[in-house]
């Protein structure tokens, strides 16, 4: 059964026991999905990265544990999961950030390992323009 089952069932009483004229009862069996968890190793992507900044990740991936109905977990393709870290407006130095993992509506993120990712922000040094070399005069020879 995939939904609740409701049925009228005849009583099967032992000899000598009566139910005062009641011969059937209504029985309801409630169905609940089996719940479980699965863990996936997931790569980390930066969101809102500034091209003038270098970002060093303390970990290149996280292990995400996802919980929910086993039927949905069995359909989940771990290769489609991505952990994102928003680095918008971070100042130079190290920052401990929590990765975000989007999962289908009937599933939840039960845990991340590590729980935070360290991102170290280093501004890139601007390139200084090359100064053109001053030409060296070459003496001209007149015949």
């Amino acid at each position: 059964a995939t939904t609740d089952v409701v049925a009228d069932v005849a009583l099967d009483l032992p000899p000598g026991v009566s139910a005062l004229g009641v011969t059937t009862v209504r029985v309801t069996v409630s169905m609940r999905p089996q719940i479980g968890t699965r863990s996936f190793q997931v790569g980390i992507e930066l969101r809102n990265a500034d091209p003038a900044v270098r970002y060093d990740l303390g970990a290149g991936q996280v292990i995400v544990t996802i919980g929910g109905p086993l039927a949905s977990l069995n359909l989940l393709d771990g290769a489609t999961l991505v952990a994102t870290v928003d680095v918008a407006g971070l100042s130079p130095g190290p920052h401990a950030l929590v990765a975000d993992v989007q999962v289908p509506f009937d599933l939840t993120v039960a845990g991340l390992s590590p729980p935070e990712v360290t991102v170290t922000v280093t501004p890139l040094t601007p390139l200084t323009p090359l100064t053109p070399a001053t030409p060296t005069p070459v003496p001209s020879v007149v015949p």
Side-chain angles (χ1 to χ4, degrees):
T2 57
T3 61
D4 292 353
V5 176
V6 178
D8 291 329
V9 180
L11 289 176
D12 184 15
L13 299 174
V17 176
S18 70
L20 303 173
V22 177
T23 59
T24 62
V25 292
R26 177 158 288 183
V27 177
T28 302
V29 178
S30 296
M31 304 304 287
R32 301 284 183 258
Q34 289 183 313
I35 303 297
T37 60
R38 298 274 190 280
S39 294
F40 300 90
Q41 197 165 352
V42 178
I44 300 172
E45 285 186 1
L46 300 179
R47 185 174 44 224
N48 298 315
D50 181 347
V53 173
R54 180 174 139 189
Y55 301 94
D56 293 309
L57 292 170
Q61 54 198 4
V62 294
I63 296 174
V64 60
T65 301
I66 298 172
L70 287 181
S72 296
L73 287 171
N74 290 338
L75 294 174
L76 185 61
D77 180 4
T80 63
L81 297 173
V82 176
T84 57
V85 177
D86 191 350
V87 294
L90 294 179
S91 60
H95 301 272
L97 304 173
V98 176
D100 178 50
V101 179
Q102 297 295 313
V103 294
F105 75 95
D106 59 340
L107 299 175
T108 58
V109 175
L112 286 171
S113 180
E116 294 179 330
V117 176
T118 300
V119 178
T120 303
V121 178
T122 307
L124 295 176
T125 15
L127 296 174
T128 54
L130 294 175
T131 310
T134 307
T136 306
V138 177
S140 57
V141 178
V142 180

